[in-house]
Amino acid sequence: MKKLILTLIVAIATICGFAQEKVWEDVVVGYRTSTVFDVNKVWFYPDRTDVLLHIDFHAGRQARIASGTTLSDGVSCYALKGKSSGDYNGALCVEYDVPFVVPESGEFDVLLSFDPLPTGTERFTLNGYDGWVVQNIRSAATLPSGITDTYWRNNATGDWLIGFAEKHVIYDSRFWDIKSMAEKRGGYTLTVENGNEVLDIKVGKMKKGTRTITVGNSKAVKCSPITTATLPDYPIKDNRVGFKDNGYRMGDSVTIIGWLKDMPAEALQRGGKEFEVSIENIISCDEENYYAQLDSIGRFVIKVPVMNSTEAYLDWRRSQANVLLEPGETYMFVNDFTTGQQLFMGKDVRLQNEILGYPFEWFSTPKFKKEASRVETIMYLEGIKSELESFCNGVVEYTKEHPNLSRRCVDFVNGYYQTGAGRELMQARFAFKSFIPPREFMDYVESFWNHSNLHSYTIYRAFPILMTDYLDVCADEFDDKRSFATILQKLVATGSITLSEKEKSVMEVYDRETERMRTEIESATSDGERQRLAAEFNSGEFMTVMNGLLARVNDELMLETICNETQQMLNETTLDSAVCDIYKAKRLYEYMDNRRKPLTAAAVEWMEENVKMHAAKAFVLELHEKYLAIMNREMSSDANLMSSKDVADMSDGEKILRKLIEPYKGKLVLVDVWGTWCGPCKRALSHSMELYERMAPYDIVFLYLANRSDDESWKNVIKEYNVTGENVVHYNLPEEQQSAVESFLKVNQYPTYRLIDSNGNLLDVNSDPRNLDAFENLIKALKKE
């Protein structure tokens, strides 16, 4: 009898204690302080708990697993066992506290063994000794016991129907306040309100993993809890094809109602008190960011203007949600930081939920060095082809595992990978001589250029860069058919311009001289030598005459090269009218953006006749009107614009500079050599007020010298960014004098910054104010001397 009792005790201990093995195959995690770490699988053993940690980090960088890493179930902490990670199905074996090099793939698994958690554990947290945390690790197979902090899907449709929080209910893409809630025999009755609207909700008790939910007068719906990170597979197939295409109509937008629920302080600090939506503008290729203020518990509403169906990043610093937004739609988006779930609610959000759940990859083919050999370029092409094939095969395998995946999601993912491959290949052109890729690159991109998903060219964030690079190469190839001298001769023949005898002689040898210099630069053995050759050529008399000519006939050249030649080049392609209009608008936009001046009347007339897409035309006209207004605006202070008459007869660069800084003896002078055509220069100037405010206590003079900038553009940039102030002076010297000063300052890039001390000495220091903290520390140190 005693033996029987002992056997029963042992059996009970086996069931209730640590002897039973349990495995979490489908693991879901809550908030992660770093997206580098994730958990893929958990085993519960009598003597240990194993956690398969997945790490996604920079290839070649050093990493380590600290021995102080622990598990916590909210009651106790459980330490790592042993001195190294375990062996499991390709997992990386590492010694704790010892740095190791991240593999080339950048992704790897590490099997960590801890002191055993009780097998009854339903959730736990992984605490990295280095400060990273993976919270609320749990099995997707575990069903919730109540309804608070749960989300439920309609079993018949597969859509997310309702969500319950402590004080709120999410239903019908709206937030409802809970006025009362009662529980009886595992079921719930709630009364909720939204403004003046009141609803009664009945939630039946859990039966075989489902509850019956009745909202107001609607029919009862059988629902299952959503326990996975994103919405599970839909119960039926959706064979619709295509994405919403509004024909690039102006004024369309997307509304997103959302909740960043239970956001930790760390996430709030990282992402701020705003929800951000980021899209890529197809004409400017700039990232456009839209923001909505979060309320006290993280809710928001935002309306985002879109030209057409558009891939967007939602709250990328925290949520990292990548989805497709279709014009005219309203979406409810919830990111629950406690559960780690991201869900969309709405009338037609299946595609958005499926995209959230798809395990996207990105191209990892190593980039090659500049001036790569033909063999290396073709190897790179084959590498991209191979990766693209692998990704597309992955889509096929994924659909076998998820047979109800919608046709639209499959098409989106395949198009995403194809567009990404094209972008990678076309960006690689910047490693080639003259930025012209091999014909094989162009042919391969052309092979999927007309993919059915690309009728709405805004769908993929990668497409604007792909389009620009591809068509810029086409434009370069078109330009190679005619010389610059031929273009000038055409303008002379039509009476658009006239040339002096000196300009004619320079024009006749321009193509030959520039080709000679290009050959010399390409033959140089170092970047420094290339920069020296370029600087000498650009500052010589030949280019001085040519730059003067270009400045004088710039408007006529712009109409011929930006407008007429672009149209001729596009006429030789088989591209549809939409992408042609987008590219023509892009060329006009870039012209204004580079020069910070409006279009000429002739260019506006050309656009009205040749760009049919209203949205593209409106985008260009908006920038045109902006710079027209700036040009017509009075300068806030003409005192900042200095005349060069005091150095009119000087040609020595050092003497010219000494004369310019003469009035500021006893003060530090920061010299900024920039140009209206220089993007980095203008980005730096846009932060001028911040620079002036920070440097106010140090009495610094800011001396700006403009390189190859016509007077109109020069003044427009100064006005646009308000680059004015008590200690601010601007010079737009004649070309010869500017070149002489730059030669003395050894300028080989733009912007270039040089610091002159209170005694007029040119200092050999890093005086780049774009790193404002470092610049201020430098000034403080100089002031102490």
Side-chain angles (χ1 to χ4, degrees):
M1 186 66 179
K2 288 182 178 180
K3 185 176 182 181
L4 177 60
I5 292 173
L6 182 61
T7 302
L8 288 171
I9 291 172
V10 172
I12 292 170
T14 301
I15 294 171
C16 300
F18 292 97
Q20 183 181 7
E21 179 183 335
K22 182 172 68 173
V23 182
W24 289 354
E25 295 278 359
D26 189 359
V27 177
V28 187
V29 305
Y31 179 63
R32 296 176 290 164
T33 55
S34 171
T35 56
V36 168
F37 305 99
D38 203 354
V39 175
N40 282 355
K41 198 171 183 178
V42 179
W43 296 262
F44 294 84
Y45 294 106
D47 61 338
R48 70 187 191 279
T49 296
D50 284 353
V51 174
L52 190 63
L53 181 67
H54 182 74
I55 300 177
D56 186 351
F57 200 45
H58 302 290
R61 295 276 291 273
Q62 282 198 338
R64 72 183 185 113
I65 301 295
S67 59
T69 301
T70 63
L71 302 181
S72 170
D73 62 0
V75 178
S76 303
C77 285
Y78 302 83
L80 274 173
K81 296 173 69 70
K83 295 183 179 181
S84 63
S85 63
D87 184 16
Y88 172 78
N89 194 24
L92 194 65
C93 294
V94 300
E95 188 175 347
Y96 300 145
D97 296 322
V98 177
F100 59 90
V101 177
V102 175
E104 286 187 5
S105 67
E107 294 188 54
F108 59 97
D109 293 329
V110 178
L111 185 68
L112 305 178
S113 294
F114 296 86
D115 290 335
L117 286 163
T119 54
T121 300
E122 291 189 353
R123 59 193 68 232
F124 63 88
T125 294
L126 175 60
N127 301 288
Y129 185 73
D130 299 328
W132 55 269
V133 177
V134 181
Q135 298 177 348
N136 198 14
I137 302 167
R138 62 200 187 279
S139 170
T142 302
L143 299 177
S145 55
I147 64 169
T148 301
D149 293 328
T150 62
Y151 306 98
W152 300 78
R153 67 185 311 212
N154 183 324
N155 285 359
T157 66
D159 287 319
W160 172 28
L161 176 70
I162 197 166
F164 299 96
E166 183 179 356
K167 297 180 180 180
H168 303 91
V169 167
I170 304 169
Y171 175 72
D172 190 30
S173 298
R174 290 185 287 172
F175 299 108
W176 302 76
D177 297 327
I178 298 176
K179 306 310 294 180
S180 66
M181 184 171 76
E183 187 264 340
K184 184 177 181 181
R185 298 177 182 176
Y188 298 84
T189 57
L190 301 89
T191 298
V192 300
E193 66 178 17
N194 179 291
N196 296 324
E197 194 171 353
V198 178
L199 285 177
D200 292 324
I201 301 174
K202 294 181 181 180
V203 182
K205 66 180 181 179
M206 185 81 85
K207 294 180 181 179
K208 296 182 179 180
T210 65
R211 292 181 185 270
T212 299
I213 300 178
T214 307
V215 181
N217 297 322
S218 301
K219 292 182 179 180
V221 178
K222 183 176 285 189
C223 296
S224 297
I226 302 169
T227 58
T228 46
T230 57
L231 201 66
D233 292 354
Y234 280 76
I236 55 176
K237 183 78 173 178
D238 179 1
N239 287 313
R240 288 180 298 163
V241 295
F243 308 102
K244 198 167 183 180
D245 185 354
N246 66 356
Y248 305 94
R249 185 174 61 248
M250 287 296 295
D252 262 340
S253 63
V254 172
T255 300
I256 304 174
I257 305 161
W259 192 3
L260 303 184
K261 183 176 177 294
D262 299 335
M263 184 165 46
E266 189 275 337
L268 179 62
Q269 182 178 10
R270 175 152 46 94
K273 296 181 179 180
E274 294 175 317
F275 182 85
E276 178 186 67
V277 178
S278 170
I279 63 177
E280 198 83 2
N281 185 290
I282 195 166
I283 296 175
S284 68
C285 288
D286 290 334
E287 185 175 83
E288 294 182 342
N289 300 304
Y290 301 92
Y291 301 91
Q293 195 73 26
L294 302 175
D295 71 7
S296 61
I297 61 173
R299 297 177 300 184
F300 63 90
V301 177
I302 185 170
K303 181 174 281 191
V304 181
V306 292
M307 284 180 67
N308 213 326
S309 289
T310 303
E311 183 187 355
Y313 290 161
L314 307 185
D315 194 46
W316 195 249
R317 286 173 290 178
R318 286 177 294 227
S319 304
Q320 295 194 339
N322 183 25
V323 298
L324 182 70
L325 305 178
E326 297 184 279
E329 298 295 326
T330 295
Y331 305 104
M332 163 71 77
F333 172 71
V334 170
N335 181 13
D336 189 319
F337 287 86
T338 296
T339 65
Q341 293 172 295
Q342 292 183 348
L343 301 167
F344 275 100
M345 177 185 287
K347 294 179 180 178
D348 186 7
V349 293
R350 174 169 181 158
L351 175 62
Q352 286 69 33
N353 278 312
E354 289 179 330
I355 291 174
L356 283 181
Y358 190 85
F360 286 96
E361 300 180 83
W362 192 242
F363 293 89
S364 60
T365 303
K367 302 294 188 293
F368 43 78
K369 297 178 181 178
K370 287 188 175 181
E371 300 184 6
S373 68
R374 177 170 176 78
V375 172
E376 289 174 312
T377 60
I378 299 304
M379 286 178 61
Y380 181 75
L381 171 61
E382 293 304 318
I384 292 292
K385 284 183 177 181
S386 178
E387 280 200 277
L388 178 58
E389 182 180 5
S390 175
F391 293 162
C392 292
N393 288 339
V395 178
V396 173
E397 293 302 313
Y398 188 82
T399 55
K400 290 178 181 178
E401 298 172 9
H402 306 269
N404 286 339
L405 190 69
S406 71
R407 170 68 183 277
R408 297 209 307 153
C409 186
V410 171
D411 287 346
F412 177 83
V413 174
N414 279 321
Y416 177 92
Y417 285 141
Q418 286 188 324
T419 309
R423 183 185 188 279
E424 290 290 296
L425 290 173
M426 296 312 302
Q427 281 285 287
R429 76 190 182 96
F430 294 105
F432 306 135
K433 291 182 179 180
S434 302
F435 302 151
I436 301 295
R439 191 65 230 176
E440 290 90 340
F441 276 47
M442 299 291 285
D443 291 342
Y444 186 62
V445 172
E446 287 171 4
S447 71
F448 53 77
W449 178 272
N450 290 319
H451 188 276
S452 60
N453 293 354
L454 297 183
H455 291 311
S456 295
Y457 294 103
T458 54
I459 283 180
Y460 301 108
R461 287 179 65 96
F463 187 78
I465 299 297
L466 163 60
M467 176 199 69
T468 299
D469 286 344
Y470 177 86
L471 289 175
D472 281 354
V473 171
C474 292
D476 290 342
E477 291 176 337
F478 181 84
D479 289 343
D480 286 344
K481 298 175 185 177
R482 61 185 69 196
S483 68
F484 181 66
T486 303
I487 297 172
L488 288 176
Q489 288 167 357
K490 177 182 175 182
L491 293 175
V492 171
T494 58
S496 300
I497 64 171
T498 57
L499 302 179
S500 68
E501 291 303 318
K502 193 171 187 179
E503 288 171 340
K504 288 179 182 178
S505 63
V506 167
M507 181 192 70
E508 289 172 358
V509 298
Y510 176 79
D511 294 318
R512 184 173 66 249
E513 286 297 304
T514 52
E515 183 58 33
R516 178 187 64 78
M517 180 50 55
R518 184 182 296 112
T519 302
E520 281 191 40
I521 291 174
E522 290 177 351
S523 302
T525 57
S526 68
D527 287 341
E529 179 68 7
R530 294 185 188 92
Q531 291 170 351
R532 184 188 66 77
L533 288 170
E536 288 180 358
F537 182 70
N538 288 329
S539 61
E541 183 180 1
F542 176 83
M543 282 305 298
T544 300
V545 174
M546 181 52 70
N547 286 332
L549 169 61
L550 293 176
R552 186 169 61 81
V553 302
N554 181 67
D555 290 347
E556 292 80 4
L557 274 174
M558 176 266 177
L559 186 64
E560 180 62 23
T561 58
I562 302 297
C563 299
N564 296 332
E565 289 205 351
T566 297
Q567 183 66 62
Q568 292 175 45
M569 181 273 292
L570 291 171
N571 289 342
E572 295 183 5
T573 71
T574 59
L575 300 173
D576 66 32
S577 60
V579 77
C580 289
D581 276 357
I582 289 169
Y583 186 67
K584 284 182 277 189
K586 177 178 180 55
R587 294 296 304 273
L588 293 169
Y589 174 90
E590 287 176 341
Y591 173 83
M592 289 187 287
D593 186 56
N594 287 339
R595 291 160 179 78
R596 286 308 200 265
K597 57 195 296 187
L599 298 174
T600 63
V604 172
E605 182 180 352
W606 180 90
M607 182 181 66
E608 292 288 356
E609 294 177 359
N610 293 279
V611 178
K612 305 304 180 186
M613 183 187 293
H614 183 64
K617 191 183 302 185
F619 186 81
V620 173
L621 286 175
E622 182 180 0
L623 191 67
H624 169 73
E625 295 294 337
K626 171 186 173 180
Y627 286 119
L628 198 61
I630 289 174
M631 186 176 68
N632 293 328
R633 193 172 73 208
E634 293 294 326
M635 184 78 68
S636 60
S637 174
D638 287 336
N640 297 122
L641 305 184
M642 310 303 289
S643 169
S644 58
K645 64 180 182 180
D646 290 341
V647 294
D649 299 324
M650 301 172 67
S651 59
D652 181 273
E654 181 177 4
K655 291 180 180 179
I656 293 172
L657 183 64
R658 296 294 176 201
K659 185 67 175 178
L660 297 183
I661 65 172
E662 194 175 79
Y664 314 114
K665 191 171 183 179
K667 295 184 177 184
L668 291 173
V669 178
L670 178 67
V671 180
D672 182 340
V673 183
W674 66 289
T676 59
W677 45 267
C678 165
C681 300
K682 288 177 285 193
R683 281 193 294 274
L685 292 178
S686 69
H687 298 284
S688 294
M689 296 310 298
E690 181 184 357
L691 172 64
Y692 301 157
E693 288 173 8
R694 182 81 76 90
M695 294 297 108
Y698 307 106
D699 196 25
I700 299 175
V701 173
F702 299 92
L703 172 64
Y704 295 91
L705 303 177
N707 170 281
R708 289 185 288 117
S709 300
D710 69 77
D711 196 62
E712 196 173 72
S713 297
W714 175 58
K715 291 178 180 177
N716 285 349
V717 173
I718 295 169
K719 287 188 280 187
E720 180 177 7
Y721 297 124
N722 197 23
V723 192
T724 57
E726 186 177 344
N727 286 346
V728 176
V729 291
H730 289 274
Y731 282 93
N732 195 8
L733 298 171
E735 183 74 26
E736 300 89 340
Q737 291 181 319
Q738 178 70 22
S739 296
V741 173
E742 289 186 18
S743 179
F744 168 67
L745 293 175
K746 296 181 172 60
V747 173
N748 54 32
Q749 64 182 13
Y750 300 89
T752 285
Y753 302 96
R754 296 287 187 262
L755 193 61
I756 298 173
D757 70 12
S758 56
N759 295 316
N761 299 312
L762 187 62
L763 303 179
D764 185 17
V765 294
N766 180 6
S767 54
D768 191 335
R770 288 174 292 184
N771 185 339
L772 197 46
D773 290 337
F775 182 70
E776 183 176 21
N777 289 336
L778 170 65
I779 298 302
K780 285 180 178 178
L782 291 172
K783 286 289 186 178
K784 289 180 180 179
E785 293 179 358

